[in-house]
Amino acid sequence: MDKQQQIINAAAQSFSQYGYKATTMEQVAKIAQVGKGTVYLYFSNKEKLLKEIVRSLAVEMRMVADQHIQASEGFVERFDTALYAILQFREQHDLMVKLSLELNDFGTPIVKEVLDSFEQEICVYIADKVRLAIEKEEIRSCDPEITAFLMYKMYINLIHDWQKHHSPISRERAAALIRLYFIEGLQP
C-alpha cells in the first residue's frame, strides 16, 4: 500500500472513532505510522483529507448499489434495490454514522458540507438511472434531477422519518408507494 492510501485509511479510522472535530493531523500520522510532514505532503489540511475520503466512499457506494441491481428488474425494483443498498452502506459504514452524529451534535460546517455532497452523489446516481429508464421507455420523459431528488427524499422519509411517529414501513411498502406516486400517479 502506498503512503497516500495509508494516510487515507488512517484518517478514515480516526474520523470513524473520534469524529472530524476531535481528529488531528498528528493522530492521523501516528495511526498511519508516518511523520506528520508526510501527511502534509499529500493533504494540506484535515478538510481536504475528509473530502477525499467521502469522495472515495461515493465511488464505493455506486459500485455497491450497481452490484445489487438485477437487469431483469423493472425500474421501481431497480430503484428500490439500489437505494436500499445505498442506505445499508451508509448505515453500516462507521465513518458515515460518526459524521451524521457529529453533524447532529455539533453542526460542524465541513461535516455538513461533505454529507450534503454525499447525498448529492446519491441523487446524481439516481438521476443517471432515471435517464436510462427514460431511454428504455420504462418511464415517460421527465427532469431526471428533480425526479431523482424527489424519489430519494420520499424514500428516505418513508423508511426513516415516517417511523418517528408511525409504525415502520417495509421496503416492499415503500417500493409500492414509489410505484403509486411516481409511476402510476393518483389519477384514476
Side-chain angles (χ1 to χ4, degrees):
M1 179 182 333
D2 70 350
K3 291 252 191 254
Q4 184 174 13
Q5 192 58 51
Q6 237 178 290
I7 293 165
I8 290 169
N9 293 347
Q13 180 184 338
S14 186
F15 291 145
S16 296
Q17 277 186 296
Y18 307 111
Y20 176 79
K21 279 184 106 148
T23 292
T24 65
M25 294 296 257
E26 208 167 301
Q27 268 179 314
V28 172
K30 185 176 180 180
I31 294 169
Q33 298 178 332
V34 299
K36 190 173 166 184
T38 304
V39 175
Y40 283 106
L41 282 174
Y42 294 99
F43 300 97
S44 59
N45 58 44
K46 189 169 69 165
E47 184 177 309
K48 288 187 176 160
L49 190 49
L50 180 64
K51 285 180 179 181
E52 175 58 27
I53 292 167
V54 172
R55 186 204 59 75
S56 68
L57 281 178
V59 170
E60 185 181 344
M61 174 268 308
R62 280 178 171 263
M63 291 183 340
V64 166
D66 283 342
Q67 288 171 354
H68 285 81
I69 294 175
Q70 302 289 322
S72 61
E73 292 178 319
F75 172 71
V76 173
E77 290 78 18
R78 289 192 314 269
F79 169 80
D80 174 60
T81 300
L83 204 51
Y84 187 76
I86 289 168
L87 294 179
Q88 291 294 105
F89 174 85
R90 195 173 168 169
E91 288 171 3
Q92 293 173 358
H93 205 286
D94 292 342
L95 175 61
M96 297 306 286
V97 171
K98 189 67 170 181
L99 291 176
S100 294
L101 290 172
E102 183 170 328
L103 180 61
N104 287 338
D105 292 347
F106 304 112
T108 310
I110 183 61
V111 171
K112 180 177 180 359
E113 182 183 327
V114 297
L115 289 177
D116 285 351
S117 75
F118 191 83
E119 268 204 6
Q120 185 60 30
E121 280 301 313
I122 293 170
C123 287
V124 167
Y125 174 83
I126 296 167
D128 291 344
K129 301 304 180 196
V130 169
R131 278 187 201 86
L132 187 60
I134 292 168
E135 288 172 17
K136 290 181 172 182
E137 298 181 354
E138 293 178 294
I139 59 175
R140 66 180 177 201
S141 184
C142 59
D143 183 309
E145 286 80 21
I146 292 173
T147 303
F149 176 81
L150 291 171
M151 290 180 77
Y152 173 67
K153 291 298 185 177
M154 180 178 174
Y155 193 89
I156 293 295
N157 285 313
L158 286 172
I159 297 297
H160 290 289
D161 295 344
W162 176 264
Q163 69 186 5
K164 291 176 185 171
H165 304 288
H166 304 85
S167 297
I169 291 180
S170 68
R171 270 185 67 193
E172 294 77 18
R173 178 88 171 115
L177 291 168
I178 297 286
R179 178 178 281 105
L180 171 66
Y181 295 118
F182 281 94
I183 306 302
E184 297 167 6
L186 293 176
Q187 192 171 22

